[in-house]
Amino acid sequence: MDTSPTGAAVAVLSDIHAVLPALEAVLAEPDVRAADRIVLTGDLLAGPLPRQTLARLRTLGDRAVWISGNADREMAAARPGNEPADPMDAWAASQLGPEEREFLRSLPATVTLEVAGLGPVLFCHATPRDDTEIALVDSRPERWAEVLEGVPEAVRTVVCGHTHMPFVRFTHGRLVVNPGSVGMPYGRPGAHWALLGPGGGAVTLRHTAFDHEAACARIARESDSPSAAAWADTYVRARHSAEEALAAFGPGDGRNAAPGTDG
């Protein structure tokens, strides 16, 4: 799916996970309010306030560019006996009606958008070819060669999410940007996002601080999920460090595979 060129800034919000207070804090940022496009790179509604978050995102209208994440795909496909494995994701899926699930099913896996100063930029959830693949800032070059294989030569910038840790890495002639997570950050509380262009195609990783204690209280009060308070205590307060997350995700990129084997 290709969209029309934009000469103004593009804000990238990933992995919101239905944490509405975090989303509202980011949308209030002056640079986000001024952005020509707001690209949503998946895992949007798998969390404690799914319907409220979807309603807020829909108010963005044509400024929003939607991309499906693995959690969105699983929520759209959820049926009795085929619920997402994560309990919060399964609960969130149960809150969506047929129209909302159909909307999630309609979301594309990738979007290519022309961004001033960067040219065509490919946006995806995890990697351009798969919405669950692991590729990290410290993944070996061979891994990046695998996951970027098939990306059109004209695309020199790839923006992904999924692992909830912000980074910018140059590899195999391409700039790879992960904005981090709006709603489930690792390492420190607050919402992570990214701003692309203008001004020569700058890429800026951004962090929006907000009252995460008040956010946890609001989630516990407004969510019907029986685990909302505990979930918010863990993820909105960012109880997991980035180092713990890297250790947990690391084996998924094949770094421990024996030489000469697939990983």
Side-chain angles (χ1 to χ4, degrees):
M1 173 183 174
D2 292 335
T3 57
S4 58
T6 177
V10 174
V12 187
L13 281 55
S14 190
D15 297 277
I16 297 166
H17 282 281
V19 179
L20 183 59
L23 172 64
E24 290 174 342
V26 172
L27 293 180
E29 289 276 12
D31 284 339
V32 177
R33 292 203 307 264
D36 183 56
R37 298 286 177 86
I38 299 175
V39 181
L40 310 167
T41 55
D43 282 12
L44 309 174
L45 307 182
L49 296 169
R51 289 176 287 104
Q52 300 93 320
T53 299
L54 178 59
R56 180 65 182 90
L57 288 171
R58 281 178 155 173
T59 67
L60 297 174
D62 292 341
R63 295 175 65 212
V65 179
W66 301 73
I67 294 168
S68 175
N70 60 294
D72 306 306
R73 172 176 52 79
E74 292 164 5
M75 290 174 67
R79 299 289 185 276
N82 184 39
E83 296 89 355
D86 182 271
M88 178 57 82
D89 294 6
W91 175 85
S94 74
Q95 303 303 295
L96 302 182
E99 185 276 333
E100 293 160 324
R101 292 190 185 199
E102 181 57 35
F103 176 74
L104 289 184
R105 275 192 291 272
S106 74
L107 300 184
T110 66
V111 167
T112 300
L113 178 67
E114 190 82 19
V115 179
L118 293 171
V121 176
L122 189 151
F123 298 87
C124 60
H125 179 62
T127 73
R129 65 182 188 175
D130 190 284
D131 65 10
T132 61
E133 266 189 327
I134 300 298
L136 301 163
V137 66
D138 64 344
S139 292
R140 66 200 192 286
E142 294 81 6
R143 175 60 166 178
W144 281 107
E146 294 168 0
V147 302
L148 295 174
E149 184 178 4
V151 174
E153 182 65 25
V155 172
R156 311 314 298 172
T157 303
V158 174
V159 179
C160 55
H162 187 54
T163 57
H164 299 205
M165 290 172 283
F167 68 82
V168 177
R169 173 170 174 167
F170 190 73
T171 181
H172 299 289
R174 290 187 169 96
L175 194 66
V176 179
V177 180
N178 189 318
S181 173
V182 170
M184 290 179 66
Y186 297 135
R188 61 175 173 176
H192 293 268
W193 54 285
L195 193 68
L196 310 184
V203 175
T204 309
L205 297 178
R206 302 289 295 270
H207 174 261
T208 298
F210 61 94
D211 188 339
H212 53 276
E213 299 294 338
C216 287
R218 178 181 171 188
I219 288 168
R221 184 175 64 251
E222 296 183 4
S223 176
D224 294 328
S225 167
S227 61
W231 189 96
D233 180 73
T234 297
Y235 294 110
V236 178
R237 288 190 173 95
R239 301 289 191 188
H240 299 300
S241 71
E243 292 72 28
E244 290 170 332
L246 282 170
F249 283 123
D253 73 358
R255 64 184 61 194
N256 298 329
T261 64
D262 292 332

